[in-house]
mmCIF file of all heavy atoms in Angstrom:
data_model
loop_
_atom_site.group_PDB
_atom_site.id
_atom_site.type_symbol
_atom_site.label_atom_id
_atom_site.label_comp_id
_atom_site.label_asym_id
_atom_site.label_seq_id
_atom_site.Cartn_x
_atom_site.Cartn_y
_atom_site.Cartn_z
ATOM 1 N N ASN A 9 51.332 118.128 133.764
ATOM 2 C CA ASN A 9 52.191 117.523 132.698
ATOM 3 C C ASN A 9 53.078 118.585 131.891
ATOM 4 O O ASN A 9 52.389 119.317 131.116
ATOM 5 C CB ASN A 9 51.187 116.772 131.761
ATOM 6 C CG ASN A 9 51.833 116.065 130.563
ATOM 7 O OD1 ASN A 9 53.116 116.104 130.462
ATOM 8 N ND2 ASN A 9 51.191 115.538 129.637
ATOM 9 N N LYS A 11 55.108 118.301 129.694
ATOM 10 C CA LYS A 11 55.498 117.831 128.321
ATOM 11 C C LYS A 11 56.924 118.197 128.021
ATOM 12 O O LYS A 11 57.766 118.083 128.912
ATOM 13 C CB LYS A 11 54.388 118.581 127.280
ATOM 14 C CG LYS A 11 52.943 118.277 127.686
ATOM 15 C CD LYS A 11 52.027 118.691 126.792
ATOM 16 C CE LYS A 11 50.580 118.376 127.270
ATOM 17 N NZ LYS A 11 49.512 118.666 126.327
ATOM 18 N N HIS A 94 49.003 109.050 126.648
ATOM 19 C CA HIS A 94 48.715 110.519 126.384
ATOM 20 C C HIS A 94 48.331 110.586 124.849
ATOM 21 O O HIS A 94 49.059 109.866 124.032
ATOM 22 C CB HIS A 94 49.766 111.436 126.741
ATOM 23 C CG HIS A 94 49.358 112.786 126.682
ATOM 24 N ND1 HIS A 94 49.313 113.505 125.599
ATOM 25 C CD2 HIS A 94 48.909 113.629 127.670
ATOM 26 C CE1 HIS A 94 48.803 114.741 125.883
ATOM 27 N NE2 HIS A 94 48.578 114.891 127.068
ATOM 28 N N GLU A 96 49.238 112.725 122.760
ATOM 29 C CA GLU A 96 50.342 113.083 121.929
ATOM 30 C C GLU A 96 51.201 111.897 121.659
ATOM 31 O O GLU A 96 51.827 111.779 120.538
ATOM 32 C CB GLU A 96 51.057 114.224 122.721
ATOM 33 C CG GLU A 96 50.352 115.525 122.601
ATOM 34 C CD GLU A 96 50.531 116.500 123.785
ATOM 35 O OE1 GLU A 96 51.577 116.323 124.474
ATOM 36 O OE2 GLU A 96 49.688 117.374 123.882
ATOM 37 N N GLU A 166 40.975 113.145 128.555
ATOM 38 C CA GLU A 166 41.444 114.384 127.850
ATOM 39 C C GLU A 166 40.921 114.333 126.404
ATOM 40 O O GLU A 166 41.510 113.749 125.500
ATOM 41 C CB GLU A 166 43.111 114.298 127.881
ATOM 42 C CG GLU A 166 43.655 114.234 129.247
ATOM 43 C CD GLU A 166 45.036 114.876 129.235
ATOM 44 O OE1 GLU A 166 45.882 114.371 128.427
ATOM 45 O OE2 GLU A 166 45.367 115.839 129.945
ATOM 46 N N ALA A 170 40.451 119.499 123.024
ATOM 47 C CA ALA A 170 40.530 120.425 124.113
ATOM 48 C C ALA A 170 41.865 120.578 124.557
ATOM 49 O O ALA A 170 42.319 121.585 125.415
ATOM 50 C CB ALA A 170 39.705 120.005 125.356
ATOM 51 N N ILE A 171 42.861 119.769 124.080
ATOM 52 C CA ILE A 171 44.230 119.805 124.485
ATOM 53 C C ILE A 171 45.077 121.012 123.796
ATOM 54 O O ILE A 171 45.163 120.887 122.602
ATOM 55 C CB ILE A 171 44.965 118.427 124.294
ATOM 56 C CG1 ILE A 171 44.293 117.294 125.209
ATOM 57 C CG2 ILE A 171 46.475 118.611 124.679
ATOM 58 C CD1 ILE A 171 44.913 115.971 124.980
ATOM 59 N N GLY A 172 45.433 121.871 124.563
ATOM 60 C CA GLY A 172 46.294 123.029 124.039
ATOM 61 C C GLY A 172 45.580 123.864 123.054
ATOM 62 O O GLY A 172 46.229 124.724 122.395
ATOM 63 N N GLY A 207 41.365 116.596 131.710
ATOM 64 C CA GLY A 207 42.440 117.400 131.160
ATOM 65 C C GLY A 207 42.112 117.959 129.773
ATOM 66 O O GLY A 207 41.376 117.338 129.006
ATOM 67 N N GLY A 208 42.528 119.177 129.593
ATOM 68 C CA GLY A 208 42.226 119.873 128.205
ATOM 69 C C GLY A 208 41.968 121.256 128.525
ATOM 70 O O GLY A 208 40.721 121.643 128.871
ATOM 71 N N SER A 209 42.854 122.222 128.342
ATOM 72 C CA SER A 209 42.799 123.544 128.628
ATOM 73 C C SER A 209 42.231 124.062 129.961
ATOM 74 O O SER A 209 41.435 125.027 130.042
ATOM 75 C CB SER A 209 42.001 124.262 127.401
ATOM 76 O OG SER A 209 42.653 124.003 126.144
ATOM 77 N N VAL A 210 42.720 123.165 130.994
ATOM 78 C CA VAL A 210 42.241 123.539 132.350
ATOM 79 C C VAL A 210 43.090 124.799 132.743
ATOM 80 O O VAL A 210 44.355 124.849 132.558
ATOM 81 C CB VAL A 210 42.493 122.412 133.335
ATOM 82 C CG1 VAL A 210 42.205 122.917 134.779
ATOM 83 C CG2 VAL A 210 41.675 121.231 132.981
ATOM 84 N N LEU A 228 44.366 117.135 134.986
ATOM 85 C CA LEU A 228 45.755 116.891 134.377
ATOM 86 C C LEU A 228 45.955 118.148 133.490
ATOM 87 O O LEU A 228 45.267 118.287 132.468
ATOM 88 C CB LEU A 228 45.809 115.567 133.604
ATOM 89 C CG LEU A 228 47.073 115.217 132.911
ATOM 90 C CD1 LEU A 228 48.357 115.225 133.922
ATOM 91 C CD2 LEU A 228 47.000 113.810 132.255
ATOM 92 N N VAL A 229 46.972 118.894 133.880
ATOM 93 C CA VAL A 229 47.055 120.262 133.240
ATOM 94 C C VAL A 229 48.360 120.385 132.483
ATOM 95 O O VAL A 229 49.409 119.987 132.965
ATOM 96 C CB VAL A 229 47.124 121.352 134.440
ATOM 97 C CG1 VAL A 229 46.964 122.761 133.766
ATOM 98 C CG2 VAL A 229 45.910 121.117 135.430
ATOM 99 N N GLY A 230 48.301 120.954 131.313
ATOM 100 C CA GLY A 230 49.476 121.191 130.503
ATOM 101 C C GLY A 230 49.872 122.551 130.616
ATOM 102 O O GLY A 230 50.598 123.022 131.595
ATOM 103 N N GLY A 231 49.605 123.377 129.637
ATOM 104 C CA GLY A 231 49.991 124.776 129.549
ATOM 105 C C GLY A 231 49.823 125.640 130.753
ATOM 106 O O GLY A 231 50.888 126.258 131.112
HETATM 107 P P1 LIG B 301 46.572 121.638 128.131
HETATM 108 O O1 LIG B 301 46.262 121.883 129.600
HETATM 109 O O2 LIG B 301 47.787 122.438 127.580
HETATM 110 O O3 LIG B 301 45.428 121.725 127.237
HETATM 111 O O4 LIG B 301 47.197 120.138 128.091
HETATM 112 C C1 LIG B 301 46.359 119.138 128.626
HETATM 113 C C2 LIG B 301 47.163 117.915 128.641
HETATM 114 O O5 LIG B 301 47.436 117.323 127.500
HETATM 115 C C3 LIG B 301 47.595 117.321 129.926
HETATM 116 O O6 LIG B 301 48.113 116.058 129.749
#
Side-chain angles (χ1 to χ4, degrees):
N9 176 7
K11 308 188 181 183
H94 192 279
E96 285 149 19
E166 300 206 307
I171 296 179
S209 299
V210 174
L228 180 55
V229 189

